[in-house]
Structures are given as C-alpha cells and as structure tokens.
C-alpha cells in the first residue's frame, strides 16, 4: 500500500522506505528456509499471488524483487490477504502449514474482517504469525509540494497492533511485533 513509502527505517545506514526493508527481511527469511516450499502473496487494497509455493528460491527472490508500490489499488486488506493465503494453503498436504502476515497498517479495505479470516485459518489448521512493520505517530513520507518538488513530509501513521495480536493469539500462535 502507499503507506509502505514511509521512510521510518534505515538500511545499510541510509534512510529506507518500508517496502525496501520488508523485501530485505523476506529475502533473509528465504535464506534461512532452504528446504521449505515458500509462496508469496502481496496485498494493498486487495491481495494478489506473487508466487505459488515453490522450492525454487532463486525464482521466488526474483518475484520478490519485482514488487513495487502501486501495483494494485491502495489500501490495507489484511483480512482478505489472510483469506487468500488460506485458499492457497488449504489443500496442501504437509506436516505444517503456516502463513506469515507482514503489514504496516490498519485493515481499511477488502471484504473479509481479519479476525474472521484468523478463525477460518484455525479451523483449517493453518498457523498465522503476524509481524507489524513501522512506527506509530508520524513518519516521513515522500510527497510533492505546491511547486512540484519532491519533499519528505510528516504524515500520521499507525499499526493496528491490537488486531494483529488477536489474529496471532489463537491457540498455538506466536506473536511477533516489530513496531
């Protein structure tokens, strides 16, 4: 979503937007799971499949790198993203099925409430882990001023940590919050 433009992180000692940092974290996660099938589902105003489950981690990394802001309509459809992830995992035969939800915002789009999606995941035996990425309060975000110049402006930002915690609190769920 557009909020992933917020420049409230540093990467290699330089200011970085949330998307760049998230890509780096996901890339490192892929490195740590060489024998796991991993899929990638991105979302903003709606979810979309970037990669189905695969062991071809080089291809997965290329798909991850191809992600850019503005690829779908703006918004944060957390519940719909969980629901879509469930649909891609529900018929998979494996020892464990898990979905890692990484978001920087508050559910404000989509047709599925996040807690309803979390209940569906629990019913199907899919573990949901949540990660919040960003700060609360204000963050510098690129914008255009009245003279057409690109500038960083402070904008109000927030993460719905309460909902992320509730999504992750179902029996056996781990809560991960990086805010």
């Amino acid at each position: 979503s557009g909020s992933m433009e917020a420049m409230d992180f540093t990467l290699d000692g330089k200011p970085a937007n949330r998307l760049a940092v998230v890509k780096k974290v996901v890339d490192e996660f892929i490195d740590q799971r060489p024998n796991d099938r991993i899929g990638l589902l991105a979302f903003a105003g709606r979810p979309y499949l970037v990669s189905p489950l695969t062991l071809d981690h080089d291809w997965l990394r290329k798909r991850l790198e191809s992600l850019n802001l503005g690829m779908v309509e703006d918004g944060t459809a957390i519940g719909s993203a969980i629901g879509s992830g469930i649909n891609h995992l529900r018929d998979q035969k494996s020892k464990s099925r898990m979905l890692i939800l990484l978001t920087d915002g508050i559910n404000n789009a989509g047709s599925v409430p996040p807690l309803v999606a979390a209940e569906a995941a629990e019913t199907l035996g899919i573990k949901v882990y949540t990660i919040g990425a960003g700060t609360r309060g204000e963050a510098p975000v690129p914008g255009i001023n009245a003279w057409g110049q690109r500038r960083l402006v402070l904008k109000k930002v927030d993460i719905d940590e309460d909902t992320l915690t509730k999504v992750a609190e179902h029996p056996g769920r781990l809560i991960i919050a990086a805010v």
Side-chain angles (χ1 to χ4, degrees):
S1 65
S3 58
M4 293 293 275
E5 280 188 300
M7 307 280 292
D8 49 354
F9 286 103
T10 58
L11 194 58
D12 300 324
K14 297 177 183 169
N17 69 29
R18 293 173 178 183
L19 181 60
V21 173
V22 165
K23 283 181 174 183
K24 182 173 175 45
V25 168
V26 171
D27 187 61
E28 290 171 358
F29 176 81
I30 293 168
D31 272 346
Q32 296 171 8
R33 312 300 301 183
N35 300 314
D36 289 347
R37 290 183 308 144
I38 302 172
L40 183 60
L41 182 99
F43 69 99
R46 65 178 166 87
Y48 63 99
L49 186 65
V50 176
S51 169
L53 292 171
T54 183
L55 285 169
D56 186 345
H57 293 178
D58 289 333
W59 185 80
L60 181 64
R61 279 191 183 85
K62 287 177 186 169
R63 299 298 301 141
L64 173 64
E65 188 54 38
S66 74
L67 288 176
N68 290 302
L69 298 170
M71 294 179 79
V72 295
E73 62 272 10
D74 203 15
T76 304
I78 293 171
S80 294
I82 295 170
S84 184
I86 291 168
N87 283 334
H88 290 287
L89 291 173
R90 71 182 330 153
D91 295 326
Q92 295 296 318
K93 306 290 184 227
S94 62
K95 235 184 331 185
S96 68
R97 297 173 298 165
M98 70 177 69
L99 188 148
I100 301 171
L101 173 75
L102 198 152
T103 183
D104 74 334
I106 298 171
N107 189 71
N108 61 15
S111 57
V112 181
L115 297 179
V116 170
E119 289 174 17
E122 182 175 0
T123 299
L124 294 169
I126 298 169
K127 295 178 183 175
V128 179
Y129 297 84
T130 62
I131 302 172
T135 57
R136 285 186 160 151
E138 292 184 329
V141 178
I144 306 295
N145 68 15
W147 296 276
Q149 299 167 317
R150 191 164 170 86
R151 301 276 187 206
L152 287 179
V153 296
L154 288 179
K155 289 194 175 177
K156 185 176 176 349
V157 292
D158 204 0
I159 295 176
D160 187 354
E161 190 173 344
D162 184 52
T163 296
L164 294 181
T165 300
K166 287 177 182 173
V167 165
E169 276 180 343
H170 291 274
R173 306 303 191 258
L174 173 68
I175 301 169
I176 304 171
V179 292

